[in-house]
Amino acid sequence: MKAKNDSLARLRGTPLAVLLLGSAMWAQGEARADVVSDWNATTQSIVVSKGAQGGVYFALVHIAVYDAVNAIDGKYSTFAVKPTAPTAGASQDAAAATAAYRVLLSAFPDQESTLAAAYATSLSAVPGGMPKTRGIAVGEEVATKWLASRVNDGREADVPYTFGTGVGVYQRTLPGPPSPITPWMAKMKPFALTSAAQFRAYGPPDVTSHRYAQDLNLTKAIGSATSTERTPHETEIGLFHTESPNTFWTRNFRDLAAQKRLGVAASPRFFAMMSVAVADGAIACWDSKYYFNYWRPVTAIQAADLDDNPRTELDSSWTPMVPTPPHPEYPAAHGCVSGAVAEMLEQYFGTRWVKVTLTSTVPGTVPHVFHDVYDIPGEVKMARVYGGMHFLTSVEHGVILGRKVGRWVEANYFKPVRHPGR
């Protein structure tokens, strides 16, 4: 019991977000949408309808939008493509809409009618003339060259996977699908990192170790479907972070852009930074997941009599509060992504002390308000244990990995450009 109590104290000692309990103090939705936010929402709608791995496609779209708009104002370093088309006087709105449209049409050609309608709506808001014509040309060139650079990047590749057996090895968790999801992400070419394995995680604790026993006993106690030790407040936190990342992060990014009044001149960089953080955080995470191929708590707890660890005890009927996602446990993807996002938020706003309000569409949850961006992965770390899907070490190591990804992106991309004479 001492190991469990020590871990519980360490977990609950992590800074908590302040929960905003009155819905009247927060209104969901994009109060000040611009063309970049519009195409982010369009991307989300298509990704959700197709059941695609959203992080990858948001990055694919928003890097093109960023390079197209940035080619016109030249405030920041080019990410991938610097067009040769004339940019003087070009419409940023036309460039952004065209870049997004062409990338999405290439990725999802069966959505042509939906995309054509969205594109027509975007262009109808841009007055005719040379600025519009030049903006379209810039967007077309950037999208074409960007897509050419991503041919054979491993996206949606057929990567076979065979479940293993034995102690510590990932095994199918019911009611999950017969195969784990998106193993191709572990092999995919990242957007900013040099390789998916660049920041591979340290590795999970050995199943015979004291740390492993602490992790297992903690999740067993407060992550169970029938836990009497998890408080209602902790249950809400666990549920809050179970919304699909395809909708959770993108909606909240749009809301934050609206709160901070980012327009078409500023939002391309914001959305590109956040999208690259999410995508490369996930790609790096998947590399580690499929490299270590570690078992989930539900498997470990129901087989604790086999781990040769005297500090753990079998519970053959144990189930998690939240159904286990169908991919290996270590490291936790929510930790990887939220750690990377926190780093990018600090870089974009120039400080970690940014008020961020996150909402979840999961029933029974309320908005969460953070005043330090690093409290976001701090809360996520707890949420995945409360849900019973992860061990604490897995989420902690995921956050570390994600922060390394974020620092790499910050050091190498999206940098301000100094122009002589300005």
Side-chain angles (χ1 to χ4, degrees):
M1 282 296 293
K2 185 178 186 300
K4 184 192 75 176
N5 291 337
D6 288 347
S7 290
L8 188 56
R10 176 160 61 98
L11 179 67
R12 286 172 170 159
T14 305
L16 279 172
V18 177
L19 295 187
L20 184 59
L21 299 178
S23 60
M25 297 176 66
W26 170 254
Q28 292 191 46
E30 298 80 52
R32 203 176 163 278
D34 57 51
V35 68
V36 181
S37 292
D38 289 345
W39 279 96
N40 177 272
T42 297
T43 304
Q44 176 185 309
S45 177
I46 290 175
V47 162
V48 170
S49 70
K50 300 292 291 184
Q53 209 298 324
V56 168
Y57 291 100
F58 285 109
L60 201 67
V61 168
H62 282 293
I63 288 170
V65 171
Y66 166 80
D67 272 351
V69 173
N70 190 60
I72 296 169
D73 62 31
K75 291 181 179 179
Y76 301 99
S77 58
T78 299
F79 190 96
V81 178
K82 188 172 184 177
T84 58
T87 59
S91 163
Q92 293 180 332
D93 281 9
T98 302
Y101 168 65
R102 288 300 177 190
V103 169
L104 284 170
L105 185 61
S106 173
F108 303 102
D110 62 330
Q111 300 294 303
E112 182 176 7
S113 60
T114 298
L115 291 169
Y119 186 46
T121 298
S122 291
L123 290 188
S124 69
V126 181
M130 183 271 288
K132 183 174 185 176
T133 302
R134 285 193 172 184
I136 291 172
V138 169
E140 292 273 7
E141 183 180 353
V142 167
T144 299
K145 291 181 176 178
W146 172 232
L147 289 168
S149 75
R150 297 299 300 187
V151 171
N152 298 322
D153 63 2
R155 192 170 7 113
E156 309 286 359
D158 182 15
V159 177
Y161 178 88
T162 302
F163 282 107
T165 58
V167 175
V169 178
Y170 175 60
Q171 296 161 41
R172 182 184 179 189
T173 57
L174 298 175
S179 297
I181 61 171
T182 58
W184 55 265
M185 279 185 58
K187 306 293 184 183
M188 182 181 169
K189 176 184 175 183
F191 294 96
L193 303 184
T194 59
S195 75
Q198 183 177 350
F199 296 116
R200 184 171 285 164
Y202 307 123
D206 186 273
V207 296
T208 62
S209 68
H210 180 67
R211 180 64 178 268
Y212 172 79
Q214 284 186 312
D215 279 349
L216 184 142
N217 288 327
L218 179 62
T219 300
K220 183 180 180 182
I222 63 174
S224 135
T226 57
S227 174
T228 58
E229 297 187 36
R230 186 181 59 246
T231 69
H233 176 70
E234 291 166 343
T235 296
E236 192 276 342
I237 290 174
L239 293 173
F240 182 91
H241 291 282
T242 60
E243 182 183 355
S244 167
N246 283 346
T247 54
F248 178 83
W249 285 114
T250 51
R251 184 190 65 256
N252 280 297
F253 290 155
R254 289 196 301 274
D255 287 343
L256 185 58
Q259 292 169 43
K260 303 302 181 184
R261 299 186 178 277
L262 305 181
V264 73
S267 62
R269 181 170 178 258
F270 172 77
F271 281 105
M273 290 174 72
M274 298 305 113
S275 298
V276 170
V278 171
D280 275 9
I283 290 170
C285 199
W286 250 246
D287 163 79
S288 290
K289 278 182 176 291
Y290 283 91
Y291 179 82
F292 293 107
N293 203 40
Y294 199 57
W295 64 0
R296 287 280 182 169
V298 64
T299 308
I301 293 168
Q302 292 183 6
D305 57 328
L306 305 176
D307 62 21
D308 199 26
N309 192 321
R311 305 175 189 87
T312 65
E313 293 183 5
L314 164 76
D315 183 347
S316 59
S317 63
W318 189 92
T319 55
M321 178 180 80
V322 176
T324 298
H327 46 79
E329 193 270 342
Y330 178 93
H334 276 62
C336 297
V337 169
S338 62
V341 167
E343 288 284 343
M344 286 294 91
L345 287 172
E346 181 183 25
Q347 167 60 17
Y348 184 85
F349 291 107
T351 177
R352 63 186 290 177
W353 309 109
V354 181
K355 181 180 178 182
V356 178
T357 303
L358 300 180
T359 62
S360 175
T361 59
V362 176
T365 62
V366 297
H368 292 198
V369 178
F370 304 84
H371 295 278
D372 178 345
V373 296
Y374 292 109
D375 282 347
I376 299 173
E379 179 177 276
V380 167
K381 178 175 68 176
M382 296 180 288
R384 305 315 275 176
V385 177
Y386 296 147
M389 307 89 84
H390 281 289
F391 298 119
L392 179 57
T393 297
S394 175
V395 201
E396 290 179 335
H397 287 192
V399 171
I400 292 170
L401 183 156
R403 293 191 64 177
K404 288 179 179 178
V405 170
R407 285 193 288 268
W408 173 265
V409 176
E410 181 274 327
N412 293 280
Y413 296 91
F414 306 111
K415 310 298 285 185
V417 174
R418 294 187 177 183
H419 297 279
R422 289 190 181 180

